[in-house]
């Protein structure tokens, strides 16, 4: 299995990407990686890899990189020698089974559509993320690929989320819901109402509307929304967990008695943080494109890159793109 990895994407550049790539190859013996980026920067960072791992990592030189603040469509069209574009062209040509990048989200979505291409029957792609909730994972999509959606887009998202939940997350009969401003039938705008009509008439196990506070309580396996709403929900959840963790540590430092109890609480807090830490869950797949594209968090360090590669590897093993194609067919 060969995966292309955009070595220049993300806030930390090739240093963390290379460390994550080495760890992924150590973890998965069937994995081969192509690091796409500036060769002189990448090569020294692979010196610490074992002979077995270094034999499964190669470099494809890219003269350009796409910055996090660049206009997505313009950048993907004009920078034909960028690391992201070359990685996606490898997926389109079949040289790689999939690609992973922590770079510009808009450019990844634009590249998925313009370079990799869409699956027939899909009008807009969606980024999906498996959120850890009370007793399972809830798959939320879209979280940033399609900001403004039509009812037909949300209908297609629901089908793609259903396939991912069933085949990748292992839910036998996923409950599919729409994110709205209330659970009552009269809630939601015309887009949400239109999507409800379409999904309700389909073969999906549709359970109606859910609100934002329903998501942590696992009241649906798949929650469908437009990319603007989904991105707000995701970033709020990430920020809230970081804030709670920081507040707990600060309060423990200010009080004497809790310091004694802290000795016993440290393992629990570490487990809790690991459960909700975005680095553990790696990347979000771009669903609806005719190839495997995984977006890692822009702040990804080595562990997050490793886990994003794991997400891409699992998607390849489960033949995820073909499953979505069959479902929509």
């Amino acid at each position: 299995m060969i995966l292309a990895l955009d070595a220049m994407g993300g806030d930390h550049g090739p240093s963390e990407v290379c460390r994550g790539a080495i760890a992924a190859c150590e973890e998965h013996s069937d994995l081969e990686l192509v690091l796409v980026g500036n060769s002189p920067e990448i090569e020294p960072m692979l010196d610490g890899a074992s002979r077995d791992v270094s034999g499964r990592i190669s470099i494809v030189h890219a003269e350009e990189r796409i910055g996090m603040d660049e206009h997505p469509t313009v950048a993907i069209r004009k920078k034909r020698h960028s690391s992201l574009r070359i990685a996606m062209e490898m997926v389109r040509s079949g040289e790689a089974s999939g690609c992973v990048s922590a770079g510009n989200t808009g450019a990844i979505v634009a590249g998925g559509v313009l370079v990799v291409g869409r699956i027939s029957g899909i009008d807009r792609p969606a980024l999906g993320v498996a959120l850890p909730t009370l007793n399972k994972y809830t798959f939320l999509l879209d979280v940033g690929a399609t900001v403004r959606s039509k009812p037909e887009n949300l209908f297609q998202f629901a089908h793609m989320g259903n396939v991912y939940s069933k085949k990748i997350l292992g839910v036998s009969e996923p409950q599919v819901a729409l994110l709205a401003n209330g659970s009552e039938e009269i809630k939601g705008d015309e887009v949400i109402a239109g999507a409800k009509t379409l999904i309700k008439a389909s073969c999906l196990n549709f359970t109606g509307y859910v609100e934002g506070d329903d998501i942590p309580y696992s009241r649906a396996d798949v929650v469908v929304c437009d990319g603007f709403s989904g991105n707000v929900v995701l970033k709020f959840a990430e920020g809230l967990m970081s804030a709670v963790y920081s507040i707990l540590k600060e309060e423990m430092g200010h009080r004497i008695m809790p310091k004694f109890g802290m000795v016993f609480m440290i393992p629990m807090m570490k487990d809790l943080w690991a459960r909700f830490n975005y680095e553990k869950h790696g990347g979000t797949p771009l669903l609806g494109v005719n190839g495997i594209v995984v977006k890692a968090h822009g702040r990804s360090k080595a562990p997050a890159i490793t886990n994003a590669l794991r997400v891409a590897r699992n998607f390849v093993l489960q033949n995820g793109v073909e499953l979505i194609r069959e479902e929509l067919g």
Side-chain angles (χ1 to χ4, degrees):
M1 185 191 302
I2 299 174
L3 296 178
L5 179 58
D6 174 15
M8 313 309 290
D11 295 342
H12 301 287
S15 59
E16 293 293 332
V17 173
C18 291
R19 286 179 53 222
I22 292 170
C25 285
E26 290 172 344
E27 186 176 329
H28 305 290
S29 60
D30 61 343
L31 194 60
E32 291 184 34
L33 297 178
V34 178
L35 301 183
V36 186
N38 187 281
S39 297
E41 287 187 60
I42 297 171
E43 286 171 356
M45 297 173 187
L46 299 176
D47 290 342
S50 66
R51 182 176 298 179
D52 171 61
V53 168
S54 62
R56 289 186 282 121
I57 298 178
S58 57
I59 301 171
V60 169
H61 180 67
E63 298 175 0
E64 300 174 301
R65 70 177 76 184
I66 295 176
M68 301 296 274
D69 58 347
E70 291 191 57
H71 188 282
T73 307
V74 173
I76 206 73
R77 285 183 187 276
K78 290 190 173 181
K79 291 191 170 182
R80 294 182 173 272
H81 301 291
S82 65
S83 55
L84 177 59
R85 170 127 191 176
I86 292 172
M88 288 191 165
E89 286 176 346
M90 292 180 68
V91 176
R92 182 181 64 186
S93 67
E95 295 174 78
S97 300
C99 72
V100 174
S101 175
N104 184 315
T105 301
I108 291 170
V109 175
V113 173
L114 298 173
V115 180
V116 180
R118 290 177 304 216
I119 292 174
S120 178
I122 293 293
D123 299 317
R124 293 283 186 271
L127 283 165
V129 60
L131 294 175
T133 53
L134 197 61
N135 52 21
K136 57 183 177 181
Y137 285 96
T138 294
F139 193 63
L140 176 69
L141 77 166
D142 177 26
V143 295
T146 303
V147 176
R148 293 183 180 87
S149 300
K150 298 177 181 178
E152 293 80 5
N153 302 142
L154 298 181
F155 174 66
Q156 293 165 7
F157 296 170
H159 277 279
M160 293 192 293
N162 181 67
V163 172
Y164 194 91
S165 181
K166 187 181 292 184
K167 301 297 183 180
I168 308 299
L169 300 180
V171 181
S172 58
E173 194 63 34
Q175 293 180 318
V176 179
L178 279 164
L179 183 65
N181 59 332
S183 57
E184 299 85 359
E185 288 281 324
I186 60 170
K187 297 293 186 178
D189 59 13
E190 61 274 9
V191 174
I192 299 295
K196 181 189 72 174
T197 302
L198 292 172
I199 299 172
K200 203 171 182 180
S202 73
C203 60
L204 298 176
N205 180 20
F206 182 58
T207 58
Y209 295 152
V210 294
E211 297 179 77
D213 60 351
D214 290 322
I215 295 175
Y217 289 95
S218 317
R219 293 197 174 123
D221 299 296
V222 179
V223 175
V224 179
C225 60
D226 62 80
F228 182 88
S229 303
N231 193 264
V232 171
V233 169
L234 180 63
K235 295 294 174 62
F236 176 76
E238 289 177 357
L240 181 63
M241 281 307 302
S242 295
V244 169
Y245 190 72
S246 298
I247 290 169
L248 279 173
K249 289 201 299 183
E250 185 178 336
E251 288 298 315
M252 291 294 182
H254 291 164
R255 303 169 190 270
I256 297 176
M257 290 302 293
K259 286 183 179 179
F260 295 103
M262 187 68 174
V263 175
F264 303 99
M265 289 181 65
I266 285 174
M268 181 196 72
M269 289 182 66
K270 284 184 176 178
D271 290 344
L272 187 64
W273 176 246
R275 182 179 176 187
F276 291 97
N277 187 6
Y278 73 86
E279 287 195 336
K280 178 184 176 183
H281 306 290
T284 59
L286 181 63
L287 303 179
V289 295
N290 201 26
I292 292 171
V293 176
V294 173
K295 164 75 173 80
H297 202 294
R299 299 196 305 269
S300 291
K301 291 193 175 181
I305 296 296
T306 301
N307 286 319
L309 289 165
R310 173 183 50 79
V311 170
R313 174 181 175 273
N314 289 343
F315 209 22
V316 173
L317 292 175
Q318 296 294 337
N319 205 15
V321 173
E322 186 59 36
L323 291 172
I324 292 172
R325 191 183 291 117
E326 290 174 2
E327 172 83 1
L328 293 167

